[in-house]
Structures are given as structure tokens and as C-alpha cells.
Amino acid sequence: AQKITQTQPGMFVQEKEAVTLDCTYDTSDPSYGLFWYKQPSSGEMIFLIYQGSYDQQNATEGRYSLNFQKARKSANLVISASQLGDSAMYFCAYSGSARQLTFGSGTQLTVLP
Amino acid sequence: NAGVTQTPKFRILKIGQSMTLQCTQDMNHNYMYWYRQDPGMGLKLIYYSVGAGITDKGEVPNGYNVSRSTTEDFPLRLELAAPSQTSVYFCASSYVGISTKNIQYFGAGTRLSVL
């Protein structure tokens, strides 16, 4: 079974600085996708970014980028120029041959003014 | 821009009561999902459906039932509610094809307390 690990229960970052949220996975699927979602205190789940296992380049979406290291089985989220509104819970998720999402336990990010 | 709509937003049940959580999507997605999220935890898959008339169990299906009679609707039924079912429930949908880019779009969630 696939396993997603987020080892940072909580992170702090100063406003306008960059922050990296860690995510590692374990799989034997030849083809898979990795996703990051944001869950603000209001509770909704917001899709941020996707990386396919065969994508040649790291994914980017505005201030979000995904540092994908396939050999290390890691898919870290990098948020540049942090804003107060980035304070939220962030979840890494994996999708393989079963086309289901397996979520990590999440990282609570707090942006300090 | 409705996307995935869940009702109700909040509900309090007594032990042993039953209820149905409603979920509707207007994106013509083939897959639909139900998750639960316990405090401070990630999401766990309860049931999912790959299309109308087809459902399957996820990681934590006990105490729940689902049906999918149409592409749009995917209700979740709780029978004989127990305190362990106190949680936030999310419905999601996605288009699943050949690509692994099956982004799931979530409803706003239903906060359920069983007392």
C-alpha cells in the first residue's frame, strides 16, 4: 500500500520569506501523481499543485513550486514570498494505479508578520 | 460555479440515529469520493464511485453506506450513529482518465457530532 509521510507537524515562517514543506512517499506504481492541498481554518480543501511521476520539469503554480526528487521519493512544496494568508494546514497526497488519493497527516504552517 | 455541493453543513445526531449526507457535483466528473477527517488528522477514504451504479469501499467503510444512481449525486448514509463517527465529512469529485492528473475537487464539508 502507498504511504505518504509529512514529518513536520508545524512550521513557522516570516512574512515574505520562502518555506519548504516536506513530503515523502513510498510506492511500487510505475506511474503516479503527487498533489498538494491547502486547508485554511475555514475548513475547505483547496488544490494547489500537481506533479506527475513522468513529468520532466518540476511543477510551478504562481508562488507555489514542487521540488520533485523521484529517486528520493520526495515531493516538497515550496512557497515563495510567504503571505499572512498562507497560514493554513497543507496536505500532500498521492494517486497511483487505483486513482485514489492517499493523504499525509498534514503540516500546519503559520506565517509571522 | 457550484462545483461540489454538500448538505447539511452542520448536524448533531443522537447515538443510534441515522442520517444521509447529500453530495452533488455539476462538473460531469465520473469519480466521486467520501472522506472523513478527524481533528488534527488527514483525510481517510470511506467510499468511492467510478460511475453511476458502481461503488466500492475505501479505507474506513464500516458504519456507512453509499449509492450512486446518477452521475451528479453521491449520498452517504450513516446507520445507527456512534460517537466514533463524530468527524468532518468531505465529498469530492474528479475526472479520471488515462492521466494520473485526477485532481479532486472538494465540497465545503459537513461537521457531524454524535452525542
Side-chain angles (χ1 to χ4, degrees):
Chain A
Q2 291 78 25
K3 185 176 180 180
I4 290 279
T5 303
Q6 293 181 253
T7 58
Q8 306 154 315
M11 289 280 286
F12 293 88
V13 64
Q14 209 68 39
E15 194 177 7
K16 299 180 185 178
E17 292 186 349
V19 63
T20 297
L21 307 184
D22 294 342
C23 174
T24 58
Y25 59 94
D26 185 23
T27 185
S28 56
D29 286 329
S31 177
Y32 52 88
L34 296 152
F35 303 76
W36 279 89
Y37 283 82
K38 173 184 179 181
Q39 187 176 42
S41 58
S42 52
E44 69 266 35
M45 294 289 289
I46 303 167
F47 166 74
L48 294 178
I49 195 167
Y50 160 85
Q51 178 82 45
S53 59
Y54 287 110
D55 292 343
Q56 295 297 313
Q57 294 187 330
N58 286 344
T60 60
E61 292 284 352
R63 294 186 298 110
Y64 304 108
S65 61
L66 204 152
N67 183 2
F68 180 49
Q69 299 187 46
K70 192 171 182 178
R72 291 188 172 187
K73 295 186 177 178
S74 72
N76 299 338
L77 177 70
V78 180
I79 305 175
S80 63
S82 296
Q83 302 172 356
L84 295 178
D86 293 334
S87 293
M89 182 73 89
Y90 289 81
F91 291 99
C92 180
Y94 169 97
S95 176
S97 56
R99 295 295 189 264
Q100 299 170 17
L101 284 185
T102 301
F103 285 85
S105 55
T107 296
Q108 180 68 50
L109 177 67
T110 302
V111 180
L112 303 172
Chain B
N1 292 340
V4 179
T5 303
Q6 288 183 238
T7 57
K9 287 186 167 46
F10 304 95
R11 184 72 186 269
I12 298 175
L13 283 181
K14 294 182 179 179
I15 295 172
Q17 287 186 322
S18 300
M19 77 165 292
T20 299
L21 281 66
Q22 302 292 344
C23 177
T24 299
Q25 55 97 3
D26 63 359
M27 296 175 282
N28 201 32
H29 285 164
N30 50 354
Y31 277 51
M32 295 187 74
Y33 312 82
W34 274 105
Y35 294 91
R36 61 177 286 171
Q37 184 181 29
D38 297 330
M41 306 291 287
L43 279 70
K44 293 187 178 181
L45 184 65
I46 304 172
Y47 271 96
Y48 68 101
S49 169
V50 305
I54 306 171
T55 63
D56 206 350
K57 297 177 181 178
E59 183 183 358
V60 289
N62 291 345
Y64 307 94
N65 279 300
V66 294
S67 60
R68 187 144 178 228
S69 57
T70 67
T71 299
E72 296 79 17
D73 300 310
F74 190 41
L76 176 72
R77 178 83 177 163
L78 278 74
E79 304 281 2
L80 299 176
S84 61
Q85 293 178 304
T86 294
S87 191
V88 179
Y89 291 84
F90 288 98
C91 179
S93 73
S94 68
Y95 175 73
V96 177
I98 297 174
S99 167
T100 58
K101 192 175 182 179
N102 47 309
I103 298 168
Q104 291 189 18
Y105 296 91
F106 285 79
T110 296
R111 189 174 296 274
L112 175 68
S113 295
V114 182
L115 306 175

